[in-house]
């Protein structure tokens, strides 16, 4: 439409002067009378071209909640058309109902469309019915600014109860429903209390990281991993060693991450760099397993046992906690030779070469005392005829206090006719250095001529004490 026609319409004067002016404008502009959209002069209102509802989106807090919808009609030029009677309706009458005045009431939960129409022209509004809106409106009465801030951060729809506990001691008490708000991503350990901006961009609440789930620590903490474990081949499943509360105090299952190498005793508390190259964590040693001590402790073995012949199975003597206080199973190490009595506390060099560890003696077994103690026997019993089975008289603890069973082993001096008839060993054993020598004639004053006559004709007879004992082993007459 040209400017002249628009100018006339603005005047809207139904006088004869106005009609003359209109005719002049139409003639001057070159347009026809039919080109103009003129109001009728019969008193009818203009045609309704559009309808707008307010609000365009409505939130109800649950069944029974209601609100008023407004409707306004406009002609083709956008001018209001007053005093119109609207026909109201809803898309789902099971969820909401609307009366002839546009007041809508919730009957269920969900989202529907409300409409107002006139002669086929319709305007609509979206109505969402959710109990959370009632709480949000209640929060908004006091915390409108805070609600607005949360919308700016991307929390939409604003659902205060997802994070805040309205039954708590304070309205700001936070409850961990990040999993609900994030579609399944739960906040674990220390993450519950950190600021949202640690993981989210403040404008729009976009995420800074992209973890696959709440155990995917390295997606957010790659720089921490690189600083501590770069090149170490440590697994990136951080919760295998760390808790989600702190980095410090990690508990590592060395057996699991090393393919079966358990840390025993004192090794469980060693710094990793004691056995691994710092940074790369490549092992400094190559033990076959956790019992292969010598692979790491060769220098310790050499310092203590070089050339000793000691086995390199260190745990045979040591307990894996400390080097001192080793308990040596001599029987196992020697192939069955037990240490008896005071021998258990002897130092190794009493019986072994200090350099090579080879035995200084060659006993048949732990009861073969004479193999090691020949000099002791010779000093005490040389020529005595005493047996070399030392444990027959000695108890294996000390040399003194030996107990000999003279009656059973030699001659009955503590029973029979000889009981109480002698004073000391020298009564019969006149040579103290040779107990094999003895005499019967200190007590039995036999005249040799008489004894020769009495034993005349007896085979083997001789006038000496050894022969007497041969015929009279218990001191009685034959």
């Amino acid at each position: 439409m040209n400017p002249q026609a628009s100018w006339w319409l603005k005047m809207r004067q139904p006088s004869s002067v106005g009609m003359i002016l209109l005719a002049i404008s139409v003639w001057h502009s070159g347009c026809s009378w039919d080109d103009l959209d003129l109001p009728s002069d019969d008193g009818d209102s203009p045609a309704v071209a559009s309808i707008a509802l307010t609000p365009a989106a409505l939130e109800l807090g649950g069944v029974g909640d209601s609100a008023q919808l407004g409707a306004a009609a406009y002609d083709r030029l956008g001018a209001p058309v007053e005093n119109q009677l609207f026909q109201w309706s809803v898309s789902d009458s099971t969820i909401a109902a609307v009366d002839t005045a546009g007041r809508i009431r919730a009957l269920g939960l969900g989202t529907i469309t409300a409409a107002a129409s006139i002669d086929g022209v319709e305007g609509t509004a979206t109505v969402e019915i959710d109990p959370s809106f009632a709480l949000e409106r209640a929060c908004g009465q006091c915390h409108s600014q805070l609600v607005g801030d949360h919308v700016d951060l991307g929390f939409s729809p604003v659902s205060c109860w997802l994070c805040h506990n309205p039954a708590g001691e304070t309205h700001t008490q936070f409850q961990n429903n990040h999993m609900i708000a994030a579609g399944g991503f739960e906040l674990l350990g220390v993450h519950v209390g950190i600021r949202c901006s640690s993981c989210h961009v403040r404008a729009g609440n976009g995420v800074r990281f992209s973890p696959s789930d709440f155990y995917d620590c390295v997606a957010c903490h790659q720089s921490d991993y690189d600083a501590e474990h770069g090149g170490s081949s440590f697994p990136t499943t951080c919760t295998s060693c760390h808790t989600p509360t702190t980095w410090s105090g990690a508990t590592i299952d060395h057996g699991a991450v090393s393919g079966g190498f358990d840390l025993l005793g004192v090794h469980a508390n060693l710094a990793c760099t004691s056995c691994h190259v710092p940074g790369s964590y490549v092992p400094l040693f190559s033990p076959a397993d956790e019992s292969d001590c010598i692979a790491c402790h060769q220098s310790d073995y050499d310092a203590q046992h070089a050339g000793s012949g000691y086995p390199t199975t260190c745990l045979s003597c040591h307990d894996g906690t400390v080097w001192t206080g080793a308990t040596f199973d001599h029987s196992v190490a020697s192939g069955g030779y037990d240490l008896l009595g005071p021998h258990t506390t002897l130092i190794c060099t009493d019986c072994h070469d200090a350099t090579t560890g080879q035995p200084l003696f060659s006993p048949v077994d732990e009861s073969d005392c004479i193999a090691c103690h020949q000099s002791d026997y010779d000093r005490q019993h040389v020529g005595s005829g005493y047996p070399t089975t030392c444990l027959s008289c000695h108890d294996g603890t000390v040399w003194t206090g030996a107990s000999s069973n003279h009656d059973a082993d030699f001659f009955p001096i503590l029973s029979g006719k000889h009981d109480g008839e002698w004073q000391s060993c020298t009564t019969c054993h006149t040579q103290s250095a040779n107990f094999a020598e003895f005499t019967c004639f200190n007590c039995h004053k036999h005249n040799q001529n008489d004894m020769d006559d009495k034993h005349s004709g007896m085979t083997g007879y001789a006038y000496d004490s050894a022969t007497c004992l041969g015929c009279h082993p218990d001191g009685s007459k034959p």
Side-chain angles (χ1 to χ4, degrees):
M1 184 177 290
N2 59 41
Q4 291 85 351
S6 297
W7 170 83
W8 178 86
L9 290 173
K10 291 178 182 178
M11 294 184 63
R12 303 173 73 91
Q13 296 179 355
S15 62
S16 57
V17 175
M19 293 300 293
I20 294 172
L21 291 175
L22 173 60
I24 294 173
S25 296
V26 170
W27 171 79
H28 182 71
S29 65
C31 64
S32 67
W33 190 271
D34 293 335
D35 290 334
L36 300 177
D37 183 15
L38 301 178
S40 63
D41 58 357
D42 58 3
D44 292 340
S45 62
V48 173
S50 64
I51 299 173
L53 269 61
T54 54
L58 178 64
E59 297 171 345
L60 298 180
V63 176
D65 201 1
S66 64
Q68 180 65 51
L69 289 172
Y74 299 91
D75 62 17
R76 291 179 58 187
L77 299 178
V81 181
E82 307 292 345
N83 302 319
Q84 298 301 308
L85 182 62
F86 299 101
Q87 298 293 321
W88 290 91
S89 63
V90 292
S91 60
D92 190 336
S93 59
T94 64
I95 294 178
V98 62
D99 62 17
T100 57
R103 188 163 190 83
I104 191 165
R105 182 168 61 89
L107 302 177
L109 303 179
T111 301
I112 54 98
T113 299
S117 63
I118 297 176
D119 297 332
V121 179
E122 185 178 78
T124 61
T126 300
V127 181
E128 186 175 0
I129 305 167
D130 189 320
S132 66
F133 297 131
L135 178 59
E136 291 158 15
R137 287 199 297 272
C139 299
Q141 292 177 5
C142 301
H143 304 291
S144 58
Q145 181 59 48
L146 294 176
V147 171
D149 290 344
H150 282 58
V151 172
D152 292 341
L153 290 174
F155 291 104
S156 181
V158 180
S159 300
C160 309
W161 57 273
L162 288 178
C163 301
H164 299 276
N165 182 2
E169 295 180 1
T170 64
H171 294 318
T172 56
Q173 182 177 347
F174 183 77
Q175 58 185 15
N176 183 20
N177 275 322
H178 188 276
M179 184 170 63
I180 297 176
F185 192 96
E186 185 178 3
L187 295 181
L188 302 179
V190 71
H191 302 83
V192 174
I194 63 174
R195 296 177 61 84
C196 301
S197 56
S198 298
C199 302
H200 295 270
V201 178
R202 184 170 180 80
N205 204 42
V207 293
R208 297 180 185 274
F209 312 101
S210 301
S212 57
D213 58 34
F214 34 85
Y215 293 113
D216 185 12
C217 310
V218 78
C220 308
H221 295 283
Q222 183 70 53
S223 61
D224 297 295
Y225 177 91
D226 292 341
E228 295 293 332
H229 307 307
S232 66
S233 73
F234 273 15
T236 55
T237 52
C238 305
T239 52
S240 297
C241 304
H242 300 274
T243 68
T245 303
T246 60
W247 287 120
S248 57
T251 55
I252 182 171
D253 187 341
H254 195 276
V257 299
S258 65
F261 192 98
D262 285 326
L263 296 181
L264 303 180
V266 71
H267 302 84
N269 296 319
L270 290 179
C272 300
T273 51
S274 297
C275 303
H276 295 269
V277 177
S280 68
Y281 286 87
V282 173
L284 296 172
F285 312 100
S286 301
D289 56 36
E290 59 271 16
S291 301
D292 184 12
C293 310
I294 196 69
C296 308
H297 295 283
Q298 183 70 53
S299 61
D300 298 294
Y301 178 90
D302 292 341
Q304 298 292 328
H305 307 307
S308 65
Y310 275 14
T312 56
T313 52
C314 305
L315 295 180
S316 298
C317 305
H318 300 275
D319 65 1
T321 303
V322 293
W323 288 121
T324 58
T327 54
F328 183 62
D329 190 335
H330 192 277
S331 177
V332 174
S334 65
Y337 190 98
D338 284 330
L339 296 180
L340 304 179
H343 300 85
T344 59
T345 58
L346 292 178
I347 60 174
C348 301
T349 52
D350 285 338
C351 301
H352 294 268
D353 184 275
T355 302
T356 66
Q358 293 302 310
L360 299 175
F361 312 99
S362 301
V364 175
D365 56 32
E366 57 270 17
S367 301
D368 185 10
C369 308
I370 197 68
C372 306
H373 296 282
Q374 183 69 55
S375 61
D376 298 295
Y377 178 91
D378 291 343
R379 186 172 59 253
Q380 297 291 330
H381 308 306
V382 63
S384 66
Y386 276 13
T388 56
T389 53
C390 306
L391 296 180
S392 298
C393 301
H394 300 276
D395 66 1
T397 303
V398 292
W399 288 121
T400 59
S403 59
S404 173
N405 191 343
H406 199 282
D407 284 28
D409 297 333
F410 304 105
F411 185 80
I413 60 173
L414 300 176
S415 62
K417 293 181 177 181
H418 292 82
D419 185 16
E421 296 298 327
W422 55 278
Q423 300 299 315
S424 66
C425 297
T426 56
T427 301
C428 299
H429 300 280
T430 56
Q431 298 181 35
S432 61
N434 185 358
F435 280 87
E437 290 294 330
F438 64 93
T439 180
C440 299
F441 302 140
N442 281 343
C443 298
H444 300 281
K445 303 295 183 179
H446 300 300
N447 181 278
Q448 184 175 0
N449 291 329
D450 292 339
M451 291 298 104
D452 289 345
D453 289 342
K454 286 185 177 182
H455 293 84
S456 177
M458 290 185 179
T459 303
Y461 165 76
Y463 184 75
D464 63 71
S465 295
T467 303
C468 295
L469 180 62
C471 291
H472 306 277
D474 59 356
S476 62
K477 291 182 179 181

